[in-house]
Amino acid sequence: MDVTTLPSWQKLTAHAERARSEHFRDLLERRPERGRTCHLQGAGWTLDWSRQRVSAEVMSDLLALAFDRGISTATEAMFTGQRINTTENRSVLHTALRANAHDSVVVDGVDCVKESQAVLGAMRAFTERVLSGDEVGATGQRFTDVVNIGIGGSDLGPVMVTQALKDLQGGLAPHFISNVDPTDAHEKLRGLNPHTTLVLIASKTFTTTETMANARLVRTWLEAGLPRESNIGAHLVALSTAVDLAEEFGISEDRVFGFWDWVGGRYSVGSAIGLSVMLAVGVSAFEEFLAGMRDMDIHFRTAELANNLPVVMALLGVWNRNFLNIPTRAVLPYEQYLHRLPAYLQQLTMESNGKRVAADGNAVSIETAPVLWGEPGTNGQHSFHQLIHQGTQPVACDIIVFSQSRHDAARQHATLVANALAQAQVMALGRSASELHAAGVAPDLVEHKVMPGNRPCTLLWSKVLTPHSLGALVALYEHATFVEGVIWGINSFDQWGVEYGKEVATRLVPFITGDDRPDSAVPEFTSASIAQLRSLAESD
Amino acid sequence: MDVTTLPSWQKLTAHAERARSEHFRDLLERRPERGRTCHLQGAGWTLDWSRQRVSAEVMSDLLALAFDRGISTATEAMFTGQRINTTENRSVLHTALRANAHDSVVVDGVDCVKESQAVLGAMRAFTERVLSGDEVGATGQRFTDVVNIGIGGSDLGPVMVTQALKDLQGGLAPHFISNVDPTDAHEKLRGLNPHTTLVLIASKTFTTTETMANARLVRTWLEAGLPRESNIGAHLVALSTAVDLAEEFGISEDRVFGFWDWVGGRYSVGSAIGLSVMLAVGVSAFEEFLAGMRDMDIHFRTAELANNLPVVMALLGVWNRNFLNIPTRAVLPYEQYLHRLPAYLQQLTMESNGKRVAADGNAVSIETAPVLWGEPGTNGQHSFHQLIHQGTQPVACDIIVFSQSRHDAARQHATLVANALAQAQVMALGRSASELHAAGVAPDLVEHKVMPGNRPCTLLWSKVLTPHSLGALVALYEHATFVEGVIWGINSFDQWGVEYGKEVATRLVPFITGDDRPDSAVPEFTSASIAQLRSLAESD
C-alpha cells in the first residue's frame, strides 16, 4: 500500500503545512519545557529531540504512522528470520550475530545463532593464538600487523570501529586496503614487514574485483618479501562464504571464517568481517562491542514505539525528509575518535534506503534516503557550519556528544561539549535582526549576521565512548534505517543499483589498456574520453 | 541587481522547464557528438561537460549570464586588489601569494606580491635550515616530525595537500592537531619525540580557541619531555598575523611567518599556512604547487568565458543548483591520494557560498551553495553510489581522473579509470526496463534494476597527480567558487555565520564545568541538556 494513502500520513501532511510556515521559536513558546520532556533513553544512549521542529501532536501522528505501517510486525519478521529481503529471497539476521549464545533463530532448519557462535568461537581462538604468539608467520616470527583487504561493507565497518577504539589497541596494528587504485596498497604496505604481517581477505563471494586485485598484489608482496618456498598460507586468512575459492587462492579451510547470505555487507561488522577489529582491540573489547549492539537490539525489539530510540529516530528522519523537505542530513560527532562514522553511515543509510521502487516494483511517490554527510565537531564549525547556519537550504543534523572524554586535559572536553550545545542552540533559535541591533551591531552588517535558525537537530549522548556505547550506537542507526525503509515501503537490504556499473567497467578495461578498440556499443562520449585519456597518458 | 531579473536568467528559466522534463538521452540524440565537442582545457586540466544536462543553447545562455553578471570585471577587481570583500572592507588576494615574483599588486601603497615573496623567502630559508640540520631542537637533535596546530583553513589545506603528495614526503613527517577534543592531541602526540618535534601554531589572530588550547597543551608536552630550562622556543613557530601575541606565547619574531587580511583562511594554503607542506615535501615541490595555482590563475584571468575552466565549472554548478534544483554535489576523486579533497572543498565552497543575503543585505531570492560531499572512487561505488543511481533525489557529481597512476601495479589503474568512466556513463544513461528485459532479467526484478540515469556529471582529468596538477585543481575550485558567488550576488569572502556559535559556547563553558549555574539567558532545552550531561558524567 502506498504510504501516502494512510490517514496518519495525511494528518502529517496537514501538520507540515503549518510547520513549514512556523518557526521553532513559536513551537517553543507554545510549550517551553521541551528540554525536560522530549527525550528518551535506551541501551545507554539518550536521544533528545527537543530541538526538532516537532510538536507533541506531530510526534503523536508520527507514532501513529509507525503503528499503521506495522513497524512491530516488521521488526519481529526481521528478528525471527523471515525473508524480508524479498528481491534476493533472504532473511536479514545481523541481529543473530550478536544474540545471546543461548538464543535461537532457526531458518530452514539451521540455527543462525549457533552458526554465529561457532564462527565467533573460531575467531576468538584464532585471535588468542595470534596474540599469544602460538600462531606465527612463515618464518616463525610473531605477527605485529594485520592488513584487511576489503571494500564497502568489508572495509568501512572495521575502519570506523578500529579508529573509534584506537586507544584500546593492544593487539596487532590494523591497516586497510580497499581502493583498486594501486596507490592504496602502495601506501598501506609501505613500512610493513612481510615476516610479521597477517593478511585478511574480506569478500563474501571472494570475487569482488577490487579486493581480489589487491589480494593478488599483496600475495605477490608476501612472496617477494619472504624466503623462497615459504608457506605463504601462514600469512593469509579469508573472511568469506566461498570456501572453495579461498582454497584455490591458497587459504586452507580452517583459515576461512565464514558468514552467510543473511548478513548484508553493510551490516557485517559484528560477523567474521570484524576479525581485524578483534585482532586489534582484543577478544573482550570486541565482545563488549557485540554486547552494546545486543542491548540496542533488545531495546528496539521490546520498547514501545514512543520510547523506542530507533523508531523515534526514524520518524524524525521521515518528518525532516518527507514533510519539511530537507534533502540532507549531517552527522556531527563531537568525538574525534568517531571521525569515520559519517563515511560508515553513508553506506548504511544511502545503500540501504537510496531506492526508488517499492517492494512490489512500483515507483515510490515520495522521497527516500537523504544524502548523509559530516565531519567531527568542532572541526566542521570552522568549515561548513557557515552553510548550516546561513545557507539557503536547511540541513538536519545529528549531534553526538559524550559526557566524559577518554582523555581529558585542561578541561578541553568542557569546551567541546559547550560547542556542541551552542551549535545545537544556534541552529534551533538563530539570531534575529532585533537581537543584533540590541547588541549594537553596525546597521549595515545586521542582515549579514542574521541567522534564521529553525534548523532541526537531534542530540545523541552517552556517558563515554566505549566498545559498548559504540556497538549500541551502530545498532541504533541500523534499526533506524530499517524503520525508515519500512515506512517508505522499500527493501533496505538489496543494492541492485551498484551492479551495472561494475559490468560496464569490466567491458571498458581492454579499451583503456589499448588491448582492444571501443565497439559501437560504447557511447560516443565514453569512447571520446578513452581516446583523450590514452593520448594524454602517452604524451610527454 | 537581482540576478533573476536578467534576460539571460529568464531565458535559462525557460530552458530549464524543458530540461527538467527531458532525459539526457534526448539531448544526446539531438547532438550525438558531445564527447568530442563539450570539453575545454587549461593549466593541464580538461573539463568535460559532455555528460551534463546542458545543450549548446543552454551553454550559450549560461555564458551570456556570466557576461551579464560582469564576471570579467569582477575577476579583474579581485586580481587587482579592489576591496571586493565588502562586509570586511578587504581585498582578496590569494592570487598574489603565487604570482610571479616580478609581478606587482599594490594595495594602499603596499605591494602584496613583494610581501608574499618576502615571507615565501623566509619559509624557504627556514625549511632549508631545518632539513639540512642547521636548525635543530633545544637538545641539539635534528627535527624529524612537524606538528601543525590549526583548525579550519589552518588545517584542511595542509592536511589535504600533504596527503595528496604523500609519496613525495622526504622532509619532516607531518602531523595535524585541529579538534579541541583532547583526544585529537592525545592520539597525534603518541609516539612523537619532543626532542625532534617542531610545532607550528597556525592561527591568523593567534586567539582561535581550539588552536590556542591545543598550543598550550603541546607546549606543556614539550616542557614535560625536554630537560628543565630547555629553550622550548626552539621547537615553536607561529603562522600568524599577530606577532605580539606570538611573542607573548614565547615565539620570537623571526619565527613568526605572517600573512595578511587579504588572505582568507580557506584560501591560505599557498601562504605561510603551507609551511607544514613545505617542510614535508620540500621547497621545490611546494613551489611547483604554487606554479600550478599560478597557471590556473593566468588561465582564469585571460581565457575567454567559453574556454575558461573556472567559469564553465561555475556555470554548470549554477545550472544544476538553480535550474535543475539539484541540492547536493558529490566530488568523487578516482585517486586515493585525494581522499581529503572533499573535506577541503566543503570548507572552500560551503563557507564561501553558504550565504543568504546579497552584498546589499537583501535576502537572495535563489538558492546558493549546495551541500558538497564525497569519498574516493572506487570506494564510494560500494557504498553511496546506490543512492546516486537509484535514489529519488539526483546528485550532481564531479569525477576526477588521472590518465596515469603514480604507482601502477598489474594494470590496476586501468580498472580504476574504467570504473570512473563506467560510473559516469551509467549516471548519464541509466538502464531502462526494455534493456533489462532484452538482457533476460527476471520480470519481477526488472523494475528493481532500472536505473533512471539523467544524473549529470563533470569529468575532470589531468595526466598525473603532481604538485603542479594539484595546485591547478585547487585554484580551479577556488575560482569556480568565486564565479558562483558573483552570479549569486553574494560575498564569498566573509563568514559571519560561524561567529555567534563561538560566543555562545564561551558563555556555556562554566555551566558545563559546574563553576557556575545556567542563568535565565540560557534556553531551557540547553540547560536541561547540561543538567543531564553533568549528572551522567558524575554517575557510576
Side-chain angles (χ1 to χ4, degrees):
Chain A
M1 195 213 320
D2 186 326
V3 67
T4 62
T5 63
L6 290 173
S8 49
W9 188 277
Q10 288 164 3
K11 282 172 79 177
L12 288 164
T13 306
H15 287 307
E17 256 180 72
R18 175 174 177 178
R20 282 198 297 267
S21 67
E22 98 178 339
H23 196 281
F24 175 77
R25 290 179 185 228
D26 306 319
L27 211 65
L28 198 61
E29 203 161 290
R30 290 211 308 277
R31 195 167 175 181
E33 72 288 5
R34 296 181 64 86
R36 272 163 296 152
T37 53
C38 305
H39 53 80
L40 49 161
Q41 277 87 35
W45 280 90
T46 297
L47 186 157
D48 175 348
W49 54 276
S50 61
R51 298 157 191 82
Q52 291 281 349
R53 290 162 59 188
V54 170
S55 65
E57 300 72 42
V58 168
M59 182 50 80
S60 155
D61 285 322
L62 284 167
L63 291 164
L65 172 65
F67 181 84
D68 291 351
R69 214 48 173 161
I71 294 300
S72 305
T73 312
T75 302
E76 276 311 292
M78 178 171 76
F79 274 92
T80 56
Q82 293 180 44
R83 296 180 186 276
I84 61 170
N85 177 354
T86 49
T87 59
E88 299 184 301
N89 193 32
R90 290 179 183 168
S91 306
V92 174
L93 278 172
H94 43 277
T95 51
L97 299 169
R98 58 241 192 177
N100 274 309
H102 54 76
D103 286 348
S104 161
V105 183
V106 178
V107 174
D108 293 339
V110 176
D111 184 340
C112 299
V113 177
K114 211 177 221 170
E115 295 265 308
S116 301
Q117 289 293 321
V119 172
L120 195 59
M123 289 165 65
R124 202 186 284 125
F126 181 75
T127 299
E128 280 162 357
R129 285 205 310 280
V130 169
L131 297 185
S132 68
D134 290 344
E135 182 81 41
V136 292
T139 55
Q141 295 189 44
R142 280 174 88 129
F143 290 115
T144 56
D145 294 84
V146 56
V147 173
N148 183 83
I149 306 174
I151 195 165
S154 301
D155 173 66
L156 289 163
V159 168
M160 185 277 283
V161 174
T162 50
Q163 287 293 308
L165 304 179
K166 199 168 179 186
D167 67 331
L168 297 180
Q169 286 174 20
L172 306 191
H175 312 270
F176 296 90
I177 298 174
S178 50
N179 202 331
V180 75
D181 182 352
T183 284
D184 199 19
H186 176 89
E187 285 296 333
K188 302 292 171 54
L189 294 175
R190 190 146 76 166
L192 292 185
N193 177 357
H195 294 262
T196 58
T197 299
L198 180 66
V199 177
L200 316 183
I201 303 166
S203 167
K204 200 171 189 175
T205 58
F206 225 70
T207 61
T208 312
T209 309
E210 289 91 339
T211 302
M212 296 321 297
N214 280 318
R216 287 187 294 270
L217 190 154
V218 173
R219 190 175 56 187
T220 304
W221 173 82
L222 286 169
E223 286 162 356
L226 293 172
R228 261 169 200 276
E229 302 191 16
S230 288
N231 174 20
I232 302 294
H235 293 259
L236 298 177
V237 164
L239 315 177
S240 180
T241 58
V243 177
D244 48 342
L245 292 178
E247 283 191 316
E248 246 174 63
F249 191 85
I251 302 175
S252 61
E253 191 174 349
D254 60 312
R255 297 173 73 92
V256 182
F257 297 86
F259 49 116
W260 310 271
D261 71 359
W262 39 266
V263 180
R266 55 193 174 273
Y267 298 89
S268 66
V269 65
S271 74
I273 291 297
L275 184 58
S276 55
V277 177
M278 196 189 262
L279 287 162
V281 300
V283 170
S284 67
F286 190 77
E287 288 180 340
E288 205 198 315
F289 173 70
L290 295 183
M293 298 183 112
R294 176 166 62 244
D295 284 354
M296 188 59 81
D297 293 345
I298 293 168
H299 166 81
F300 175 51
R301 197 173 177 182
T302 57
E304 56 182 283
L305 296 180
N307 294 324
N308 196 306
L309 269 77
V311 171
V312 171
M313 185 188 243
L315 293 172
L316 296 168
V318 167
W319 175 252
N320 286 327
R321 183 76 199 90
N322 299 106
F323 296 96
L324 300 184
N325 303 325
I326 299 177
T328 79
R329 175 177 183 173
V331 173
L332 310 171
Y334 277 71
E335 170 56 79
Q336 185 63 26
Y337 280 128
L338 294 181
H339 68 107
R340 290 302 282 167
L341 182 67
Y344 175 79
L345 295 179
Q346 281 182 331
Q347 187 193 20
L348 178 64
T349 66
M350 294 162 79
E351 193 168 56
S352 292
N353 289 343
K355 307 280 164 75
R356 53 176 290 284
V357 295
D360 60 8
N362 287 317
V364 295
S365 61
I366 50 164
E367 298 285 349
T368 57
V371 165
L372 186 148
W373 58 290
E375 289 282 333
T378 59
N379 289 9
Q381 293 176 208
H382 295 260
S383 167
F384 51 75
H385 281 235
Q386 167 65 37
L387 179 143
I388 292 178
H389 290 304
Q390 293 192 313
T392 50
Q393 165 187 287
V395 176
C397 298
D398 289 357
I399 293 182
I400 300 171
V401 194
F402 294 90
S403 65
Q404 288 178 8
S405 171
R406 294 193 66 88
H407 312 283
D408 204 3
R411 308 209 298 187
Q412 279 184 223
H413 186 256
T415 306
L416 182 72
V417 173
N419 274 280
L421 295 181
Q423 290 297 314
Q425 180 176 320
V426 178
M427 286 176 197
L429 297 178
R431 196 180 195 195
S432 67
S434 56
E435 286 165 344
L436 286 154
H437 281 296
V441 169
D444 60 336
L445 282 183
V446 163
E447 285 303 326
H448 292 275
K449 292 193 169 191
V450 164
M451 304 169 87
N454 214 23
R455 271 68 175 145
C457 78
T458 292
L459 273 190
L460 283 169
W461 72 70
S462 188
K463 185 168 178 174
V464 63
L465 177 62
T466 60
H468 188 282
S469 60
L470 181 66
L473 181 66
V474 169
L476 169 58
Y477 276 99
E478 284 179 350
H479 298 316
T481 301
F482 166 69
V483 173
E484 286 182 337
V486 173
I487 290 174
W488 288 326
I490 58 182
N491 179 357
S492 302
F493 302 104
D494 59 14
Q495 54 281 317
W496 299 110
V498 306
E499 279 195 352
Y500 185 51
K502 297 183 206 174
E503 278 177 45
V504 175
T506 305
R507 288 206 296 271
L508 295 183
V509 171
F511 310 138
I512 288 162
T513 56
D515 292 330
D516 203 349
R517 297 185 60 177
D519 52 38
S520 62
V522 178
E524 183 266 354
F525 57 83
T526 297
S527 54
S529 294
I530 292 172
Q532 290 162 327
L533 281 164
R534 280 186 54 77
S535 100
L536 187 60
E538 286 158 11
S539 68
D540 288 331
Chain B
M1 197 209 323
D2 187 327
V3 67
T4 61
T5 62
L6 291 172
S8 50
W9 188 277
Q10 288 165 3
K11 281 171 80 177
L12 288 164
T13 306
H15 287 307
E17 256 180 72
R18 174 173 178 180
R20 281 198 298 267
S21 68
E22 101 178 336
H23 196 281
F24 174 79
R25 290 179 183 227
D26 305 319
L27 211 65
L28 199 61
E29 203 161 290
R30 290 212 307 279
R31 194 168 175 181
E33 73 287 7
R34 296 181 64 86
R36 271 163 297 152
T37 53
C38 306
H39 54 80
L40 49 161
Q41 276 88 34
W45 281 89
T46 297
L47 186 157
D48 175 349
W49 54 276
S50 62
R51 299 157 189 83
Q52 290 283 347
R53 290 162 58 189
V54 170
S55 65
E57 299 73 39
V58 168
M59 182 50 80
S60 155
D61 285 322
L62 284 168
L63 290 165
L65 173 64
F67 181 82
D68 291 350
R69 212 51 173 158
I71 294 300
S72 304
T73 312
T75 302
E76 276 311 292
M78 178 172 75
F79 274 92
T80 55
Q82 292 180 44
R83 296 180 185 278
I84 61 169
N85 177 353
T86 50
T87 60
E88 299 184 303
N89 193 32
R90 290 179 183 168
S91 306
V92 174
L93 278 173
H94 43 276
T95 51
L97 300 169
R98 59 243 191 176
N100 275 310
H102 55 75
D103 285 349
S104 163
V105 183
V106 177
V107 175
D108 294 339
V110 176
D111 185 340
C112 299
V113 177
K114 212 177 221 173
E115 296 265 307
S116 300
Q117 289 293 321
V119 172
L120 197 58
M123 290 165 65
R124 203 185 284 124
F126 180 75
T127 299
E128 281 163 358
R129 286 202 312 279
V130 168
L131 298 185
S132 68
D134 290 342
E135 181 81 41
V136 292
T139 55
Q141 294 189 45
R142 281 174 87 126
F143 291 115
T144 55
D145 295 83
V146 56
V147 173
N148 183 84
I149 306 175
I151 194 164
S154 301
D155 172 66
L156 290 163
V159 168
M160 184 276 282
V161 175
T162 49
Q163 287 293 308
L165 304 180
K166 200 168 178 183
D167 67 332
L168 298 180
Q169 286 174 19
L172 306 192
H175 312 270
F176 297 90
I177 298 175
S178 51
N179 203 331
V180 75
D181 182 353
T183 284
D184 199 19
H186 176 89
E187 285 296 333
K188 301 293 170 53
L189 294 175
R190 191 146 75 167
L192 292 185
N193 177 356
H195 294 262
T196 58
T197 299
L198 179 66
V199 177
L200 315 183
I201 303 167
S203 167
K204 202 173 188 174
T205 58
F206 225 69
T207 61
T208 313
T209 310
E210 289 90 339
T211 302
M212 295 322 297
N214 281 317
R216 287 186 293 271
L217 190 153
V218 173
R219 191 176 54 187
T220 304
W221 173 83
L222 286 169
E223 286 162 357
L226 293 171
R228 261 169 198 275
E229 303 190 17
S230 290
N231 173 21
I232 302 296
H235 293 258
L236 299 177
V237 165
L239 315 176
S240 181
T241 58
V243 177
D244 49 340
L245 292 178
E247 284 192 316
E248 246 174 63
F249 192 83
I251 302 175
S252 59
E253 192 175 347
D254 60 310
R255 297 173 73 92
V256 182
F257 296 87
F259 49 117
W260 308 271
D261 70 359
W262 39 265
V263 180
R266 54 193 176 272
Y267 299 89
S268 67
V269 66
S271 75
I273 291 297
L275 185 58
S276 56
V277 178
M278 195 190 262
L279 287 161
V281 301
V283 171
S284 68
F286 190 77
E287 288 179 339
E288 205 198 315
F289 174 69
L290 295 183
M293 297 182 112
R294 176 167 60 245
D295 284 354
M296 187 59 79
D297 294 345
I298 293 168
H299 167 81
F300 175 51
R301 198 173 176 183
T302 57
E304 57 182 286
L305 296 179
N307 293 324
N308 196 307
L309 269 77
V311 171
V312 171
M313 185 188 244
L315 293 172
L316 296 168
V318 167
W319 174 252
N320 286 327
R321 182 75 198 91
N322 299 105
F323 296 96
L324 299 185
N325 303 326
I326 299 177
T328 80
R329 173 175 183 174
V331 173
L332 311 171
Y334 277 71
E335 170 56 79
Q336 184 64 27
Y337 280 128
L338 294 181
H339 68 107
R340 289 302 282 166
L341 183 67
Y344 175 78
L345 295 179
Q346 283 182 331
Q347 187 193 20
L348 177 64
T349 65
M350 295 162 79
E351 193 169 54
S352 294
N353 290 341
K355 306 279 164 74
R356 53 175 291 284
V357 295
D360 60 8
N362 287 317
V364 295
S365 61
I366 49 163
E367 297 285 348
T368 57
V371 165
L372 185 148
W373 57 288
E375 289 283 332
T378 59
N379 289 9
Q381 292 176 209
H382 295 259
S383 168
F384 51 76
H385 281 234
Q386 166 66 38
L387 179 142
I388 291 178
H389 290 304
Q390 293 191 314
T392 50
Q393 166 187 287
V395 176
C397 297
D398 289 356
I399 294 182
I400 299 171
V401 195
F402 294 91
S403 64
Q404 289 178 7
S405 171
R406 293 193 66 89
H407 313 283
D408 204 4
R411 306 210 297 187
Q412 278 184 224
H413 187 256
T415 305
L416 182 71
V417 173
N419 274 280
L421 296 180
Q423 289 297 313
Q425 179 176 321
V426 177
M427 286 177 198
L429 297 178
R431 196 180 196 194
S432 68
S434 57
E435 287 165 343
L436 286 154
H437 281 296
V441 168
D444 60 336
L445 281 183
V446 163
E447 285 303 325
H448 292 274
K449 293 194 170 192
V450 165
M451 305 169 87
N454 214 24
R455 270 71 173 143
C457 78
T458 292
L459 273 191
L460 282 169
W461 71 70
S462 187
K463 185 168 176 173
V464 63
L465 177 62
T466 61
H468 188 283
S469 60
L470 181 66
L473 181 67
V474 170
L476 168 59
Y477 275 100
E478 283 179 350
H479 298 317
T481 301
F482 166 68
V483 173
E484 286 181 336
V486 173
I487 290 173
W488 289 326
I490 57 182
N491 179 356
S492 301
F493 301 104
D494 59 14
Q495 53 280 319
W496 300 111
V498 306
E499 280 195 352
Y500 186 51
K502 297 183 205 174
E503 279 176 43
V504 175
T506 305
R507 289 206 295 272
L508 295 182
V509 171
F511 310 139
I512 288 162
T513 55
D515 292 329
D516 203 348
R517 296 184 61 177
D519 51 39
S520 63
V522 178
E524 183 266 353
F525 57 82
T526 297
S527 54
S529 294
I530 292 172
Q532 291 163 329
L533 281 163
R534 281 187 54 77
S535 98
L536 187 61
E538 285 157 10
S539 67
D540 288 331

